[in-house]
Amino acid sequence: MHILKLINMRKIFIVLLSLSIGFVNAQTMDANTAAKTITAAGLKKHLSIIAGEEMQGRETGTEGERKAASYLVSQYKQMDLTPGNAGSYRMPFSLFQDKVTASSLKVNGTSYTLDKDFWISAAAAPQKSFTSPEVFYVGAEFNDKSTLDVRGKLLISSEGKERAMSKTMAAQKLGAIGIINIAKTNPTMPSNLSGRLAFAANTNTFVSMTVSKTVGAALLGGTKEFSDQEWETIPVGKYNAAIEWSADRTSVTIASANVIAYMPSREKTDEYLFITSHYDHEGVKNGVIYYGADDDGSGTTGVLAIAEAFAKARKKGFSPKRNIVFMNVSGEEKGLLGSKYYGDHPIFPMEKTTADLNIDMIGRIDPTYKGDSMNYVYVIGEDKLSSDLQPITDKVNKNYNMELDRRYNDPKDPNRFYYRSDHYNFAAKGVPVIFYFNGTHADYHKPTDRVEKINFDLMEKRTRIIFETAWEMATREDMLKRDMPLNMPATR
Ligand SMILES: [Zn+2]
């Protein structure tokens, strides 16, 4: 009986033991096993949709952008991730853009033609019309050291060594109401009639334009074009010239949205790890689609794949120590606008955000690497804000032996990549960041940045490294320390 009982006990014990081993295995599915659920085939499936024809290049504020956002939302829903913005997967924001539909210029009753006699930009066009009975000629070499009293005056400057842009800035600084720059050679580019997207409507009243030598001569009382020698002898001062300039400038409101979803933690419920990409690209220009497969379809696909891998791990019992937030921003190509909006209106506190891992272009190889040496990714920003970043990446990389190329951390590098993607708007708020990047290439910002050119095996490896880095950051006991304040970037 005893023995029998003992045997039974042993049986029960063995059954219990094997059950608990199974249970422990499920609980501790490790990062490397989970990373293997990210596959080249899975990445290709997502990217073929995100950078497909239907999305029309995903320009901010367009139907293509909205379709891409809907796709991302549908995927996060399928993964059963929590909407990031009070029950919604979208964080909407509004942008303003100036558009000039027509413009005319008359000098002393003579009409001139846009893009033949004069060139304008939407940002410096009058709201409706602008008239002036006189102009003030400042010569060719005007700058902000000028002692001329130009306050309240409309300036004319002929072409010299000083650049038109710096003359325009000097005129603004010294209180002029506008400046007309005379070009010795007419611009070959048409006027820029669509202004930059901005968070507020344009309230600029300073007017500026470029005019041909013919118009320039008319403004200064000439009846024909001046010769080069004559230009040099024209005295500085006031000239009578009846100017009538009109522009049909309207400010359009554009609706855009960041997409945001997260995996909640049951432990450190007030701490966050961000994984980001930008899902917008350049859209359609002159009827040609800019697909943006690498930029940044690849990063957006990477974020989706990482979210999927975490969701699969969660089904096997994984739970992160802190919340993992997946955010795809828009407006990046227009000046990092979506991430700027998030940075200025954070949903989750920046001081409780341990890090932002930003992925922008991980599907290609730049000309620095080729052939056997293409096993690399640029990691940027690890040497700033937190000394915890680099050891984590190095540890994770032991599973991958990838070349983690840190050359762009050099503050003297002229590319300034650290300032050129969305992680910057986290870093500017003190959040440690890593920017994953493959470098630029011949198809960068060209219609040829297409899915067919993506190296999915390499992209798989890069995405897995980022996933394991995220896993480490989401499961470690403490938030990353912010111990390198002196390395904090001051300005873009
Ligand atoms: Zn880009």
Side-chain angles (χ1 to χ4, degrees):
M1 198 171 129
H2 274 269
I3 291 172
L4 262 179
K5 208 176 175 189
L6 198 77
I7 291 165
N8 278 346
M9 275 304 284
R10 193 178 281 163
K11 266 187 183 165
I12 289 164
F13 180 72
I14 289 166
V15 168
L16 279 175
L17 186 75
S18 56
L19 269 178
S20 72
I21 286 169
F23 182 66
V24 166
N25 270 348
Q27 268 290 310
T28 57
M29 178 183 192
D30 67 286
N32 195 246
T33 309
K36 293 200 170 82
T37 64
I38 297 169
T39 63
L43 294 169
K44 189 172 184 178
K45 195 184 119 237
H46 285 309
L47 187 56
S48 302
I49 295 165
I50 291 166
E53 206 167 314
E54 208 198 338
M55 304 302 180
Q56 296 281 299
R58 314 181 300 279
E59 187 181 9
T60 303
T62 65
E63 193 53 36
E65 180 223 40
R66 284 186 282 280
K67 278 185 184 165
S70 296
Y71 179 70
L72 296 170
V73 168
S74 73
Q75 294 303 306
Y76 291 133
K77 252 187 210 159
Q78 263 181 41
M79 295 171 209
D80 204 21
L81 294 178
T82 309
N85 186 26
S88 171
Y89 289 102
R90 287 182 179 82
M91 183 193 202
F93 57 92
S94 298
L95 296 168
F96 297 87
Q97 184 176 34
D98 289 321
K99 286 214 160 122
V100 171
T101 48
S103 183
S104 68
L105 175 70
K106 264 188 199 176
V107 178
N108 298 326
T110 304
S111 293
Y112 294 99
T113 309
L114 182 68
D115 289 343
K116 181 175 163 280
D117 307 303
F118 70 102
W119 293 262
I120 63 171
S121 83
Q127 198 74 57
K128 264 249 151 336
S129 64
F130 174 87
T131 58
S132 175
E134 61 186 42
V135 293
F136 189 84
Y137 182 63
V138 292
E141 305 307 332
F142 176 72
N143 60 38
D144 61 3
K145 311 238 170 13
S146 170
T147 52
L148 294 168
D149 180 10
V150 301
R151 266 170 300 163
K153 293 174 179 151
L154 174 65
L155 312 186
I156 304 277
S157 182
S158 52
E159 191 174 328
K161 286 188 201 77
E162 201 75 59
R163 290 181 344 192
M165 179 57 95
S166 59
K167 286 194 242 189
T168 303
M169 279 157 65
Q172 248 172 314
K173 192 176 158 192
L174 297 176
I177 56 166
I179 188 164
I180 297 176
N181 286 301
I182 301 165
K184 273 186 186 159
T185 316
N186 289 344
T188 49
M189 294 284 281
S191 291
N192 181 10
L193 300 179
S194 292
R196 285 180 68 84
L197 297 186
F199 287 114
N202 182 3
T203 54
N204 170 48
T205 55
F206 185 87
V207 297
S208 78
M209 70 164 81
T210 300
V211 298
S212 66
K213 284 196 285 185
T214 316
V215 178
L219 285 164
L220 298 174
T223 50
K224 59 170 180 57
E225 264 187 32
F226 299 127
S227 69
D228 282 356
Q229 283 100 321
E230 282 174 308
W231 274 116
E232 285 181 21
T233 60
I234 293 168
V236 162
K238 192 178 98 174
Y239 291 78
N240 292 322
I243 298 175
E244 298 168 56
W245 177 20
S246 78
D248 295 325
R249 189 179 90 177
T250 48
S251 187
V252 245
T253 310
I254 286 166
S256 183
N258 297 329
V259 175
I260 181 162
Y262 71 104
M263 178 176 285
S265 137
R266 278 186 241 113
E267 266 183 72
K268 296 174 185 281
T269 53
D270 64 339
E271 292 183 10
Y272 305 87
L273 168 70
F274 267 70
I275 306 164
T276 56
S277 77
H278 72 90
Y279 73 95
D280 66 302
H281 190 58
E282 293 212 85
V284 180
K285 287 188 258 186
N286 300 320
V288 180
I289 301 175
Y290 285 63
Y291 293 91
D294 191 29
D295 184 9
D296 182 24
S298 65
T300 301
T301 296
V303 173
L304 271 188
I306 289 168
E308 266 175 339
F310 274 119
K312 281 177 190 161
R314 181 167 67 173
K315 280 191 181 150
K316 296 250 164 76
F318 166 81
S319 176
K321 209 156 234 146
R322 51 187 61 75
N323 306 287
I324 310 175
V325 186
F326 306 95
M327 181 162 78
N328 310 102
V329 299
S330 191
E332 196 270 355
E333 303 289 8
K334 310 289 185 188
L336 315 188
L337 297 179
S339 55
K340 171 91 173 110
Y341 186 80
Y342 182 83
D344 290 343
H345 309 87
I347 296 172
F348 306 115
M350 287 290 193
E351 58 283 3
K352 287 290 188 181
T353 298
T354 189
D356 171 41
L357 304 180
N358 183 48
I359 319 174
D360 191 354
M361 298 167 62
I362 54 159
R364 297 286 299 269
I365 301 152
D366 80 354
T368 310
Y369 287 88
K370 46 183 170 294
D372 297 338
S373 71
M374 57 186 225
N375 185 36
Y376 78 100
V377 65
Y378 295 113
V379 282
I380 303 172
E382 276 179 318
D383 63 334
K384 297 170 180 69
L385 299 166
S386 176
S387 63
D388 285 336
L389 289 164
Q390 194 161 318
I392 292 174
T393 323
D394 283 338
K395 190 182 124 197
V396 167
N397 192 39
K398 288 198 176 113
N399 290 336
Y400 295 92
N401 282 317
M402 192 169 243
E403 175 158 2
L404 302 174
D405 191 328
R406 297 177 161 115
R407 75 180 68 192
Y408 292 125
N409 281 334
D410 181 354
K412 289 192 285 293
D413 187 273
N415 291 295
R416 294 172 60 79
F417 287 128
Y418 184 67
Y419 304 92
R420 286 174 52 188
S421 187
D422 298 297
H423 55 276
Y424 177 75
N425 285 317
F426 283 84
K429 303 284 177 185
V431 177
V433 304
I434 305 177
F435 168 28
Y436 298 91
F437 179 52
N438 52 223
T440 57
H441 43 76
D443 300 310
Y444 174 67
H445 279 225
K446 300 265 163 54
T448 48
D449 178 6
R450 301 185 64 150
V451 176
E452 300 85 85
K453 297 198 174 175
I454 297 291
N455 182 330
F456 284 102
D457 290 333
L458 183 55
M459 187 174 157
E460 173 194 280
K461 204 166 172 182
R462 287 167 173 163
T463 311
R464 287 178 178 183
I465 287 189
I466 303 165
F467 171 77
E468 286 202 42
T469 306
W471 180 293
E472 166 66 26
M473 289 180 179
T475 55
R476 74 204 296 271
E477 189 52 37
D478 297 316
M479 278 185 48
L480 303 189
K481 53 181 180 291
R482 301 181 180 189
D483 55 344
M484 297 163 82
L486 292 179
N487 275 337
M488 182 142 158
T491 50
R492 260 184 94 196

